[in-house]
Amino acid sequence: MKTTNRFGITGGLLLLSALVSQPAFAQENSPVDLSGTWRWIRYEDVRESQPGAYPGDYMGLPLNDAARMRADTYDEEWISSSPLLQCRPRGPGYQAFALDPMQIDKVEDPLNRRLVAYRVSYQKTPGGRMIWLDGRPQPSAYAQHSWEGFSTGKFKGDTLEITATHLKESYVRRNGVATSFRATVIEQVSLDEPYLDWTFTVIDPDYLTEPLVRSAIYIRAPTLQVPTYPCQSVDDRAPGEKYRVPHYLPGENPYLTEAAFKYKVPLEGVRGGAETLYPDWHSIGMRLSPPSAQYTLKPTYKDESTRIAERAEVQPKHISTYDNVEALHVAGNVYLIGGAGGNIAVSVGGDGVIMVDSGVAAASGKVLAAVHQVAHNLKPEEISNSASPYAGTWQATHAFTEPVIRMIINTNDNAEHVGGNANVRKSAMFDPLRGFEIVAHEMVQNRMIAAKAPDIAVPNNTYFSEKYTLYRFLNNEAVQLFHLANATTDGDSVVVFRRSDVIVAGDVYNSDIYPPIDVDRGGSIDGEIEALNKLVDMSVNEYMSEGGTMIVPGHGWISDAGDVGYYRDMIMVIRDRIQNMIDRGMTMEQVRAAKPTMDYDPLYGRQPGVTNQFVEAVYRSLKEKTTKGNG
Amino acid sequence: MSHKISTTPSALWIAMTASVLWLSASSSIQAQGDGSRRGGPPLTAKASAPIELTGYWTAVITEDWNLRMLTAPKGDFGTGEASAGIKTPGGDFRPPGNIPYKPAGVEAAMAWNPEKDEAEGNRCKAYGAVGIMRLPTRLHITWQDDNTLKMEAELGMQTRLFHFGPPPRGGQMSFTSGLYIPPEPPKLETPAGLEPTLQGYSVASWTVVGGVGSFERGGSLKVVTTHLKPGYYWKNGMPYTGNAVLTEHFRVMQLPDNSVWIRFTQMVEDPEYLTQPFLINYLFKKLPNESGWNPTPCSVK
């Protein structure tokens, strides 16, 4: 071999290795470095940041009428009186307006130093908001929502573009202008040293008619420390005092003209709407006069958003083929199987599979496949760290073999929850604990027998007490059923997996539809509210109104006590409105025509039949109570 | 036993070629100006634009709505109430509302007299380079020539011209020292002897980023405006002086509904009236065509 070639190869390799170690390679992670501590600069709408916008000030917001009604009936005491919401952090649709210092840290892969994410922390946020830059996919539609949502980012030129989804219900102005849990927030972050320009756009199909684009500025503040925020919620009710939701009945808020009067601008502008954001409105506004005094506005609501429930009613019933059955982890041993009608929860471990509900019959094949997949991919459980005499013994006695289903627990007798009972029992995977094939409250059994359900589908192990604890730990934890009397029916149970800290709520709580209260089957609005109160009382938030106890709804995504709190409060507001209408002598038809749920229909009334059923159930149960009281 | 590694004379050549190719591919992803072209004349500002700003655009007023869409009452600094500011017990001055005014700025704002402006032919004081971007107006942006961007506003029928200078040298990596050499700052020189005008004299430069590796090409336009006549931030007579320097950064974004927006930051430095730079940002949405373009003369109210 020629010496020159050896030198050539060696030299070339040395040069290449020197080049690959150049810092230019690392720069490809991020065209600009956003990390550091930042202080807000705020020279616009200063009143909105401190002390807060006037009630009824919707200037500059492209709201629909549903959003207006929601905000018109908002009472600012609501947040302070709700222990679940007192520590509610801001979402990305508002955060940049807050007078909150900010810290941005790089999160790097320790092996290759590649930038994986930016972590953004504010004083009043639960922790670091992760903005993933590694191209990871969006979570499932059944994944939990959070105040800050799930955020992915991508650099476009010198601008980091962030997309946040899976947001909890939040607000775009601190006077009750709500954003939906379906909202997406798009953010553009650009650096012009020492300033950081943060443009944020809220796209809300439920409450906004077009994207709401706003912006904020931060300045680099290298010596700033972002303070901690140990927010402690307080329940200041007297012993025995019932929880209530402060709110105004439609047309009774006396403060809605305050902003127009004080800013001396026409009320038509203060009420917001997309048309008021554009130059053509200038000449309209110049011809209008501001109110000469404050008065109680009696708004009328009539745009498309007011007809969501009506449109849903006439939609043809969607016939699902259940193609998108999927499983995802909830907590501990518990998984959710979604897309099979009602949600199914499964506890999976060394003892086998405990199913809570079985979905619709037509989806059973896919449900069983999902159960098999979850169980098969499980890792062996850790030995229990407990002083219990039984600790760690169950793993030794129960072999981890092919998945077997040990029992089904039914939370109610709705077809979307019990429809798959027979198919699961007939499947080869079903290897039950004798006598515990299907467990439910006795009213579920009674109603299924009355409905002539086949024996194989009917619960054979029932309880009639307030609480029912299964006779032994299953998958290393206690399993308890609580009867929630007269909620959606007279047979509702919630199932608690104690070690996993998961509650399976059945139809008592649905994250995106009204509860299917059936008065003829023993349901009632007061029972439903009591049930939700119980659910809240049984749950613990991890920090700042989110996380902790996971709640699997009858329909929708994995939730926490904060979500249930919002839902409970919504139902209490509607209960109060309908009670007021009954007190004024209105008939069922008049109540329906008055649309007492109109501002919540974009969130919970998009499926055929649910709004009418809900309004009728609330009316009937309140009317019956009134009649009994008078009798 | 002998191992034959290679008998071709090109091993070093291949390695060197690969190195050079890699080097050119991984050159700095950030450059300022980006207007130079090896072996030819510099690209014009129009040819090197990293973002497309031309077309018709409309203001979308989602912030400071009462101040921008309509004319607020005299003395309303943004809170809805007339106020001359607060003197703290320690003797500090806390300006009222949204503008970081010194007492001199507040005093000048409280002296606003629209009738006087009208009588003196100063109807356009709220339509200067600083104020016009805050008004509910449409913009029409075109290239006046290869190195001058023209921005017309229908409200007040105003025209701003952004003059691009010669492109500065971009940032680059020195592979001998392993150090990054930052981009040369753009030359923001104004011609001598300029008289102040409502729109002042604006010097512009591009910042070009990306276009290498996995990063999309993009960037921003920086505009620095001086030689301004005194004017108003808002139509209710909130003043800036003739010494104010206006610095703007323009960027473009696209939303999922395919709407295209200009987002820009505006910084005013005016030490005579302001305690610190006054920074805000505004948004304009792209229009499909000139429909609705409605040139309207200035008005004092």
Side-chain angles (χ1 to χ4, degrees):
Chain A
M1 181 180 173
K2 289 180 182 172
T3 312
T4 49
N5 280 342
R6 273 200 205 121
F7 281 130
I9 288 162
T10 311
L13 288 172
L14 279 172
L15 183 58
L16 267 176
S17 71
L19 284 169
V20 294
S21 65
Q22 290 293 332
F25 191 76
Q27 276 190 32
E28 283 195 25
N29 275 331
S30 172
V32 289
D33 185 358
L34 303 176
S35 61
T37 45
W38 303 87
R39 185 187 181 278
W40 49 267
I41 294 177
R42 184 101 180 103
Y43 292 130
E44 290 169 280
D45 288 326
V46 287
R47 188 187 167 86
E48 184 175 334
S49 298
Q50 191 91 24
Y54 291 113
D57 172 3
Y58 314 141
M59 290 187 286
L61 302 177
L63 302 183
N64 62 24
D65 273 348
R68 280 193 195 90
M69 180 172 165
R70 178 102 188 252
D72 287 348
T73 56
Y74 172 83
D75 183 334
E76 63 185 11
E77 276 185 34
W78 172 48
I79 297 298
S80 57
S81 66
S82 168
L84 279 174
L85 298 177
Q86 285 163 8
C87 295
R88 174 179 69 161
R90 305 173 183 101
Y94 187 84
Q95 176 63 53
F97 275 176
L99 310 183
D100 234 6
M102 173 176 72
Q103 180 172 324
I104 304 179
D105 297 305
K106 288 178 175 175
V107 180
E108 293 178 343
D109 182 326
L111 296 184
N112 60 18
R113 295 272 174 87
R114 198 166 290 277
L115 184 62
V116 175
Y118 276 117
R119 182 192 295 114
V120 186
S121 312
Y122 307 94
Q123 181 184 358
K124 293 184 182 175
T125 47
R129 175 188 174 198
M130 300 300 285
I131 296 165
W132 299 104
L133 305 172
D134 55 359
R136 65 184 57 198
Q138 290 280 311
S140 157
Y142 297 97
Q144 211 212 337
H145 289 214
S146 62
W147 299 115
E148 296 175 316
F150 175 84
S151 300
T152 53
K154 187 177 189 318
F155 275 98
K156 292 186 173 176
D158 62 346
T159 297
L160 176 64
E161 184 172 300
I162 304 166
T163 302
T165 60
H166 293 74
L167 293 157
K168 283 186 189 291
E169 195 177 323
S170 189
Y171 53 91
V172 290
R173 187 162 288 169
R174 289 193 302 144
N175 57 0
V177 182
T179 53
S180 156
F181 42 66
R182 290 191 188 89
T184 299
V185 178
I186 310 283
E187 294 152 279
Q188 271 84 14
V189 185
S190 307
L191 180 64
D192 295 308
E193 288 284 7
Y195 301 107
L196 197 62
D197 176 22
W198 202 294
T199 301
F200 56 108
T201 302
V202 181
I203 300 168
D204 186 341
D206 291 337
Y207 285 139
L208 299 177
T209 58
E210 63 176 61
L212 169 61
V213 189
R214 300 184 290 180
S215 51
I217 298 172
Y218 293 87
I219 185 168
R220 216 180 256 291
T223 58
L224 189 74
Q225 283 286 320
V226 177
T228 57
Y229 187 62
C231 182
Q232 177 63 56
S233 63
V234 178
D235 190 345
D236 58 4
R237 283 176 292 165
E241 185 184 345
K242 284 199 165 185
Y243 176 74
R244 55 178 278 278
V245 180
H247 63 95
Y248 292 100
L249 293 168
E252 292 192 4
N253 187 341
Y255 303 111
L256 296 179
T257 56
E258 186 176 3
F261 176 68
K262 291 202 166 148
Y263 285 118
K264 298 179 182 58
V265 294
L267 193 58
E268 292 84 344
V270 171
R271 299 290 288 167
E275 67 283 1
T276 65
L277 314 186
Y278 292 92
D280 289 343
W281 203 87
H282 170 69
S283 55
I284 298 169
M286 294 297 279
R287 292 195 297 270
L288 298 168
S289 302
S292 55
Q294 284 180 237
Y295 61 95
T296 301
L297 185 70
K298 305 283 182 193
T300 53
Y301 309 104
K302 56 188 178 190
D303 72 9
E304 276 301 299
S305 70
T306 67
R307 289 186 281 280
I308 282 173
E310 287 161 71
R311 285 203 305 271
E313 292 301 323
V314 297
Q315 275 173 18
K317 185 91 176 168
H318 175 64
I319 299 168
S320 177
T321 50
Y322 306 106
D323 291 330
N324 297 315
V325 173
E326 61 175 307
L328 67 160
H329 188 225
V330 181
N333 297 327
V334 182
Y335 293 74
L336 175 146
I337 297 175
N343 283 337
I344 299 165
V346 290
S347 163
V348 188
D351 292 332
V353 176
I354 295 113
M355 288 181 72
V356 183
D357 292 329
S358 57
V360 295
S364 294
K366 293 197 171 86
V367 168
L368 289 167
V371 170
H372 192 275
Q373 183 200 356
V374 169
H376 213 74
N377 294 339
L378 267 192
K379 295 177 190 132
E381 288 178 66
E382 291 174 15
I383 302 296
S384 167
N385 180 17
S386 162
S388 162
Y390 299 106
T393 60
W394 299 113
Q395 281 78 15
T397 53
H398 293 274
F400 201 80
T401 59
E402 274 299 294
V404 289
I405 298 170
R406 299 297 192 183
M407 71 170 68
I408 304 167
I409 301 171
N410 286 145
T411 57
N412 58 52
D413 65 314
N414 293 333
E416 294 201 318
H417 293 269
V418 301
N421 282 4
N423 290 339
V424 172
R425 279 191 73 172
K426 282 188 268 186
S427 81
M429 287 173 72
F430 199 66
D431 182 6
L433 298 177
R434 273 184 57 198
F436 286 83
E437 281 81 358
I438 304 180
V439 182
H441 189 266
E442 66 175 359
M443 291 310 298
V444 174
Q445 183 190 55
N446 292 349
R447 293 200 179 280
M448 289 182 75
I449 291 170
K452 298 190 170 25
D455 286 352
I456 195 171
V458 176
N460 63 334
N461 184 307
T462 62
Y463 74 103
F464 52 85
S465 50
E466 202 172 307
K467 183 173 80 176
Y468 186 63
T469 304
L470 294 188
Y471 74 100
R472 54 158 286 178
F473 274 24
L474 292 163
N475 295 332
N476 212 9
E477 66 180 322
V479 182
Q480 291 183 303
L481 285 76
F482 291 84
H483 178 224
L484 303 176
N486 307 112
T488 66
T489 66
D490 50 15
D492 291 302
S493 297
V494 297
V495 183
V496 182
F497 293 94
R498 291 186 54 124
R499 188 162 173 252
S500 298
D501 199 10
V502 172
I503 303 175
V504 186
D507 280 338
V508 166
Y509 166 65
N510 295 316
S511 61
D512 59 356
I513 52 173
Y514 293 118
I517 299 171
D518 188 337
V519 178
D520 292 330
R521 288 193 290 154
S524 72
I525 182 64
D526 286 346
E528 171 67 17
I529 291 168
E530 281 305 308
L532 291 166
N533 281 330
K534 174 113 180 164
L535 213 48
V536 166
D537 288 343
M538 292 164 77
S539 311
V540 181
N541 274 144
E542 186 172 343
Y543 178 48
M544 291 186 83
S545 307
E546 73 178 4
T549 307
M550 291 289 101
I551 298 162
V552 177
H555 295 81
W557 51 84
I558 300 165
S559 302
D560 57 29
D563 299 311
V564 178
Y566 261 110
Y567 192 76
R568 183 255 326 256
D569 292 358
M570 171 273 292
I571 286 171
M572 291 180 76
V573 167
I574 292 169
R575 189 264 317 265
D576 294 351
R577 289 177 188 169
I578 295 179
Q579 182 66 65
N580 174 265
M581 291 173 177
I582 291 171
D583 293 345
R584 289 189 283 139
M586 290 171 71
T587 64
M588 178 70 237
E589 283 316 306
Q590 287 169 324
V591 169
R592 262 207 196 114
K595 298 181 179 173
T597 60
M598 192 203 79
D599 46 344
Y600 292 103
D601 289 345
L603 305 181
Y604 305 105
R606 289 190 179 271
Q607 289 191 24
V610 299
T611 306
N612 265 348
Q613 181 188 349
F614 177 59
V615 171
E616 188 179 321
V618 176
Y619 182 90
R620 279 184 59 193
S621 50
L622 290 174
K623 189 82 179 166
E624 281 172 16
K625 193 172 78 170
T626 309
T627 310
K628 276 180 197 165
N630 292 340
Chain B
M1 190 170 123
S2 67
H3 293 276
K4 188 176 179 183
I5 297 172
S6 171
T7 54
T8 56
S10 56
L12 177 60
W13 173 242
I14 290 167
M16 293 294 285
T17 307
S19 307
V20 169
L21 285 173
W22 181 88
L23 194 153
S24 59
S26 64
S27 62
S28 166
I29 54 171
Q30 177 158 347
Q32 195 157 1
D34 196 33
S36 59
R37 194 169 53 178
R38 287 182 189 88
L43 286 176
T44 63
K46 185 178 176 182
S48 59
I51 52 174
E52 178 58 275
L53 290 169
T54 61
Y56 287 89
W57 305 83
T58 176
V60 181
I61 298 184
T62 57
E63 298 171 69
D64 273 352
W65 188 91
N66 55 313
L67 304 164
R68 296 176 58 198
M69 183 57 82
L70 303 168
T71 304
K74 177 178 173 176
D76 182 351
F77 291 82
T79 59
E81 292 153 9
S83 165
I86 300 165
K87 272 223 162 141
T88 65
D92 293 334
F93 176 71
R94 192 179 300 156
N98 298 8
I99 305 173
Y101 270 137
K102 289 177 175 173
V106 173
E107 199 177 310
M110 298 304 279
W112 176 52
N113 184 342
E115 288 75 25
K116 187 163 172 271
D117 283 345
E118 178 89 52
E120 293 175 354
N122 286 328
R123 302 175 88 190
C124 290
K125 283 185 82 172
Y127 297 76
V130 177
I132 188 68
M133 308 304 282
R134 298 158 196 251
L135 291 173
T137 186
R138 294 177 186 83
L139 301 175
H140 182 212
I141 303 177
T142 53
W143 284 98
Q144 178 165 282
D145 57 49
D146 282 351
N147 286 305
T148 310
L149 196 61
K150 183 165 81 173
M151 176 185 281
E152 295 166 279
E154 62 173 359
L155 218 53
M157 300 189 289
Q158 301 294 312
T159 300
R160 299 182 66 191
L161 296 175
F162 301 158
H163 306 277
F164 287 80
R169 176 188 48 72
Q172 53 193 244
M173 180 64 70
S174 165
F175 288 98
T176 49
S177 64
L179 294 175
Y180 178 66
I181 301 163
E184 187 182 54
K187 293 180 180 64
L188 304 176
E189 289 165 7
T190 53
L194 281 176
E195 286 298 313
T197 61
L198 265 181
Q199 303 307 331
Y201 188 85
S202 300
V203 180
S205 63
W206 296 118
T207 298
V208 185
V209 175
V212 174
S214 58
F215 297 109
E216 284 180 28
R217 186 171 187 266
S220 61
L221 169 66
K222 181 179 180 181
V223 178
V224 178
T225 302
T226 56
H227 297 77
L228 287 160
K229 270 188 169 178
Y232 300 142
Y233 294 108
W234 306 326
K235 289 194 75 178
N236 68 341
M238 297 291 146
Y240 57 86
T241 72
N243 293 323
V245 175
L246 171 65
T247 304
E248 295 160 296
H249 293 272
F250 294 79
R251 289 183 171 84
V252 171
M253 68 174 187
Q254 185 169 9
L255 292 179
D257 66 358
N258 290 322
S259 59
V260 177
W261 299 66
I262 291 176
R263 45 188 280 266
F264 75 97
T265 311
Q266 193 186 62
M267 177 171 76
V268 181
E269 293 165 286
D270 188 8
E272 201 176 325
Y273 279 172
L274 299 179
T275 58
Q276 55 193 291
F278 179 24
L279 277 110
I280 34 180
N281 25 31
Y282 295 123
L283 297 146
F284 283 80
K285 185 176 174 182
K286 191 154 198 173
L287 297 167
N289 51 46
E290 65 187 274
S291 169
W293 181 257
N294 182 24
T296 313
C298 300
S299 68
V300 291
K301 279 194 174 174

